[in-house]
Amino acid sequence: MPTYIVLLGPPGVGKGTQAKVLAEQTGLAHISSGELFRENTKKNTELGKLAKSYMDRGELVPDDVTIAMIRDRFTRSDCQKGAILDGFPRTPVQADALAELLKEFGGQVDVVPLITADDEVLIERLSGRWTCRANGHVFHARFNPPQKDGVCDLDGSELYQRDDDKAETVKRRIQVYQDQTAPLIAYYRSKGSLVEINGAQPIDRVTADLLAAIRHHHD
Ligand code: AMP
């Protein structure tokens, strides 16, 4: 049976960074709704233009287009063993759609690590964040600096600051998380799949806790 892991937590807590490491270590696909939207924006597709109008304000892209995009992503061959979902679902409607979708693929949401940190930590992380153009690898000016300023260590592409990592948008994104996404905590807790992870720790400690939670679930 394929394994599906949903990473839950506020913007800036490290979901993207951790999802990339976990995908490498477990062989599961990494599915990031935010990166899929950014790829579409870069290519200037209709979906990209629509998504950008929401992303720039720190709001959520409507459920129907988001769900359709994720459904399409699941049909790619790298998802056979399962996937690590990073940034999806973000609303109760999306969580229900995911449950239905996984039934089709013969699986279910197995583990939901909830990564948390205080708002001050999130704001500090987002404002110092640098993202690579080619593959979305993430660095931080202070906590995880690249070897060479402005260049991705992993693929040599340019590092840039996301438009939505500006202070005002960051505050809105954290508020949107509290209002629209936080209800998923109770939803997954009631299903017995929630595991709380302290996201204020150094990156490798968070990874170790996540791997332990995933393995524990499989034993
Ligand atoms: P992220 O890279 O996960 O921080 O996502 C960046 C932005 O993309 C969010 O602030 C939303 O505007 C949009 N987005 C990403 N995932 C979703 C989702 N599951 N539902 C709606 N909007 C999303």
Side-chain angles (χ1 to χ4, degrees):
M1 265 250 271
T3 303
Y4 298 101
I5 297 164
V6 168
L7 293 185
L8 209 55
V13 81
K15 297 187 298 297
T17 300
Q18 296 296 338
K20 284 195 165 61
V21 180
L22 293 178
E24 264 168 35
Q25 301 217 1
T26 60
L28 302 174
H30 173 201
I31 300 186
S32 160
S33 42
E35 272 179 37
L36 291 169
F37 285 133
R38 282 187 289 280
E39 278 169 25
N40 275 279
T41 306
K42 198 160 76 179
K43 291 187 199 141
N44 211 20
T45 65
E46 286 308 313
L47 174 63
K49 285 185 235 170
L50 176 81
K52 190 166 169 36
S53 65
Y54 292 93
M55 292 166 85
D56 284 353
R57 283 181 283 128
E59 304 287 337
L60 296 185
V61 180
D63 284 332
D64 54 348
V65 286
T66 303
I67 291 164
M69 175 180 77
I70 293 293
R71 169 179 284 281
D72 179 61
R73 177 66 184 83
F74 266 104
T75 62
R76 280 196 228 161
S77 59
D78 63 338
C79 297
Q80 264 161 14
K81 278 183 68 182
I84 296 167
L85 294 158
D86 155 20
F88 181 93
R90 254 178 164 94
T91 65
V93 171
Q94 293 181 13
D96 287 337
L98 177 64
E100 286 304 309
L101 192 62
L102 294 187
K103 271 190 211 156
E104 283 175 38
F105 289 90
Q108 58 179 22
V109 173
D110 295 293
V111 199
V112 182
L114 167 65
I115 314 176
T116 54
D118 291 341
D119 284 2
E120 300 87 84
V121 173
L122 304 177
I123 291 168
E124 197 179 13
R125 288 198 187 156
L126 290 166
S127 57
R129 175 156 87 174
W130 290 86
T131 303
C132 107
R133 289 249 184 241
N135 294 300
H137 296 121
V138 180
F139 298 86
H140 189 283
R142 248 179 72 208
F143 307 124
N144 181 25
Q147 308 247 322
K148 192 164 170 246
D149 274 358
V151 181
C152 178
D153 288 355
L154 299 160
D155 58 32
S157 81
E158 182 201 5
L159 298 178
Y160 74 106
Q161 282 194 295
R162 279 170 48 174
D163 287 341
D164 61 348
D165 282 348
K166 284 179 292 204
E168 271 323 293
T169 318
V170 161
K171 289 200 186 118
R172 181 67 196 139
R173 286 163 63 203
I174 293 172
Q175 187 61 46
V176 166
Y177 170 78
Q178 295 300 348
D179 294 345
Q180 301 188 52
T181 307
L184 298 186
I185 296 170
Y187 173 88
Y188 285 119
R189 185 178 280 131
S190 75
K191 296 189 181 299
S193 25
L194 201 81
V195 187
E196 292 189 43
I197 306 282
N198 173 9
Q201 307 176 89
I203 295 174
D204 54 349
R205 288 296 322 156
V206 178
T207 306
D209 285 358
L210 285 164
L211 285 170
I214 295 167
R215 293 208 177 104
H216 179 255
H217 174 84
H218 278 282
D219 291 343

